[in-house]
Amino acid sequence: MPILVMKFGGTSVADLDKIRNAAEKVKREVDRGYKVIVIVSAMSGKTNELVGWVDQTSPLYDAREYDAVVSSGENVTAGLMALTLQEMDVPARSWQGWQVPVKTSAAHAAARIEEIPRDNLDAKFDEGMDVAVVAGFQGLSPEGRITTLGRGGSDTTAVAFAAAFTAERCDIYTDVDGVYTTDPRITSKARKLDKIAFEEMLELASLGAKVLQTRSVELAMRYKVRLRVLSSFEENTPDSGTLVCDEEEIMESNVVSGVAYSRDEAKMTLISVADRPGIAAAIFGPLSEAGVNVDMIVQNISEDGRTDMTFSCPTDQVKRAERAIKEAKEHGEINFQELVADTDVAKVSVVGIGMRSHAGVAARMFQALRDENINIRVITTSEIKISVLIERKYMELAVQALHDAFGLETAA
Ligand code: ASP
Ligand code: MG
């Protein structure tokens, strides 16, 4: 009894017609002989509305009640999807998180899935149920209360079910037809990828390619769940969309698979800090306690025992970062001349597992930027990624230039 997980995001279940369209796709897989676990999001816009109601009622809300309210959007779509399938003579039943149960941690609004016992659903499959429609994004805490997994969490629900039920594949239906080499709004040369490795997707997802929640990709990588991203609004064939898979499944690929960007990155520099053991800990400890997500870090060479320390963080965390650093200075933990925040930057990155075995990627990247006269302010590299901070007004140009330089318009 092969099992398939099919997840439909908010735009794919935005109204009754769209739910019917999604149900037809489910029926097609049932007709092919699969038992299907359907994971649904709330109708698009619904979760935002629910969050707004909570905020208006209680600005410093009790997170347990936030979850009670915000999880409800998925319950509606799960029931409607089961009814729609029943109308098509497909034996289907809806399941809320607590009924499965999807056991999670107690971290309300940001819970982690800990375990999904198979017994309840398996028993129903054995009795002839073909489709279990599960409300995404929600679970049950050890105290027996409803939890939610953080925004975008139904992707993670889907991957967790695929892992728990050893599904053949986890299909993520959305409003785009796959993962692209870069944002098609920035260059019309962007090309849909047939396959992408988990690690590449992880870099692209965390860089802001919003197709998949980052945690869902981490989970898929850990359990080797083959993920397919595809459109709800097209007729799909077995090769549609983009398969996110283990790199061993990818025979040929370009050295660079994609160019990602992030507009909301700020560069912060502490000028003239004492260069002594423990200085990085004294700076980044308070930042992490303040909840600042530091990304790039560069320490300059030092002169006369002093150095400059530069890091990047999301633009909306600049104030928090400044406060944390000023407090550390007041407490005498660090000492510096000046703190300079530059919010006029953007991050552009090239990502590809091919970098592991090919030299010269960085040189090619820097040449392409030089040819456009774009000044690089900060550079960082990892095994499969090179990122630069540049002036924000050059972001689109940089993405286009790099897309061209690495020949991403055509497949390997
Ligand atoms: N409905 C939730 C949200 O909007 C979860 C999801 O759609 O993945 O964040
Ligand atoms: Mg989503």
Side-chain angles (χ1 to χ4, degrees):
M1 178 187 72
I3 292 183
L4 202 63
V5 171
M6 301 172 76
K7 182 253 169 177
F8 293 93
T11 49
S12 307
V13 291
D15 56 38
L16 299 185
D17 281 340
K18 299 221 166 83
I19 292 178
R20 198 168 317 115
N21 168 67
E24 276 159 13
K25 294 192 184 294
V26 176
K27 181 177 186 328
R28 222 161 293 151
E29 300 296 354
V30 171
D31 292 343
R32 288 192 182 121
Y34 286 106
K35 295 283 186 185
V36 180
I37 301 174
V38 176
I39 310 292
V40 285
S41 286
M43 291 174 168
S44 68
K46 192 71 210 172
T47 309
N48 287 343
E49 181 182 46
L50 295 169
V51 170
W53 289 347
V54 170
D55 282 337
Q56 282 172 46
T57 308
S58 171
L60 293 172
Y61 52 72
D62 176 334
R64 296 178 207 81
E65 302 310 337
Y66 167 97
D67 279 350
V69 175
V70 168
S71 63
S72 66
E74 273 71 9
N75 297 342
V76 175
T77 36
L80 289 172
M81 176 65 82
L83 284 173
T84 309
L85 287 161
Q86 288 174 2
E87 286 295 320
M88 297 172 173
D89 295 322
V90 178
R93 182 62 65 206
S94 73
W95 302 79
Q96 297 183 4
W98 64 273
Q99 293 172 302
V100 175
V102 177
K103 296 186 184 175
T104 73
S105 67
H108 284 277
R112 299 206 155 248
I113 296 178
E114 287 174 347
E115 195 198 341
I116 302 177
R118 294 182 53 148
D119 333 11
N120 284 336
L121 262 53
D122 275 344
K124 291 291 172 190
F125 282 137
D126 289 343
E127 285 168 22
M129 175 183 73
D130 282 331
V131 181
V133 185
V134 178
F137 177 54
Q138 52 174 267
L140 185 67
S141 77
E143 292 81 40
R145 299 216 57 95
I146 307 298
T147 53
T148 62
L149 309 179
R151 298 305 304 272
S154 48
D155 292 335
T156 300
T157 306
V159 173
F161 271 84
F165 286 81
T166 47
E168 201 170 287
R169 215 176 48 238
C170 179
D171 285 346
I172 307 277
Y173 284 87
T174 180
D175 49 7
V176 293
D177 62 355
V179 179
Y180 279 72
T181 49
T182 195
D183 187 341
R185 286 169 304 186
I186 292 195
T187 167
S188 56
K189 296 178 187 169
R191 174 176 53 89
K192 184 175 74 67
L193 294 158
D194 293 331
K195 288 183 179 179
I196 184 167
F198 290 125
E199 283 182 273
E200 294 171 325
M201 191 62 227
L202 205 52
E203 294 287 2
L204 294 173
S206 61
L207 289 170
K210 293 205 176 61
V211 245
L212 291 170
Q213 198 198 30
T214 308
R215 267 170 60 198
S216 71
V217 184
E218 281 166 6
L219 204 61
M221 181 157 103
R222 174 142 18 110
Y223 293 99
K224 293 208 194 278
V225 171
R226 299 167 79 235
L227 270 178
R228 190 162 64 132
V229 176
L230 68 176
S231 167
S232 277
F233 309 120
E234 285 175 11
E235 280 310 311
N236 297 301
T237 66
D239 310 313
S240 294
T242 299
L243 186 70
V244 189
C245 58
D246 202 77
E247 57 184 272
E248 275 156 29
E249 260 193 75
I250 302 175
M251 300 298 284
E252 284 294 336
S253 73
N254 290 319
V255 179
V256 165
S257 301
V259 181
Y261 65 87
S262 154
R263 236 181 225 114
D264 55 12
E265 202 83 12
K267 168 170 155 278
M268 314 269 293
T269 304
L270 285 97
I271 295 174
S272 187
V273 287
D275 186 14
R276 57 167 171 80
I279 189 65
I283 295 171
F284 295 103
L287 285 172
S288 117
E289 272 160 40
V292 176
N293 296 315
V294 172
D295 179 29
M296 309 164 114
I297 300 178
V298 179
Q299 183 185 330
N300 285 359
I301 52 159
S302 56
E303 261 175 79
D304 306 328
R306 306 201 70 86
T307 183
D308 295 345
M309 188 79 87
T310 298
F311 63 90
S312 72
C313 70
T315 324
D316 60 1
Q317 295 181 0
V318 166
K319 289 269 167 312
R320 219 187 294 173
E322 282 175 338
R323 198 184 329 130
I325 286 177
K326 285 192 177 129
E327 278 172 17
K329 189 177 187 183
E330 279 156 22
H331 297 154
E333 289 153 23
I334 45 176
N335 179 343
F336 57 89
Q337 227 169 51
E338 208 186 332
L339 174 61
V340 185
D342 181 357
T343 51
D344 191 30
V345 291
K347 181 171 67 177
V348 176
S349 312
V350 298
V351 172
I353 46 174
M355 279 184 215
R356 289 199 195 114
S357 48
H358 286 79
V361 176
R364 203 143 119 215
M365 176 176 191
F366 303 152
Q367 278 155 15
L369 295 172
R370 178 204 58 198
D371 291 346
E372 298 296 341
N373 248 316
I374 299 171
N375 189 31
I376 302 171
R377 301 194 173 172
V378 178
I379 303 169
T380 56
T381 65
S382 75
E383 204 187 8
I384 66 162
K385 178 177 75 171
I386 305 171
S387 302
V388 294
L389 280 188
I390 58 171
E391 202 176 330
R392 173 137 354 120
K393 69 176 181 206
Y394 295 124
M395 193 194 79
E396 272 93 355
L397 180 62
V399 170
Q400 290 156 358
L402 294 170
H403 199 272
D404 286 344
F406 288 101
L408 300 190
E409 196 180 354
T410 43

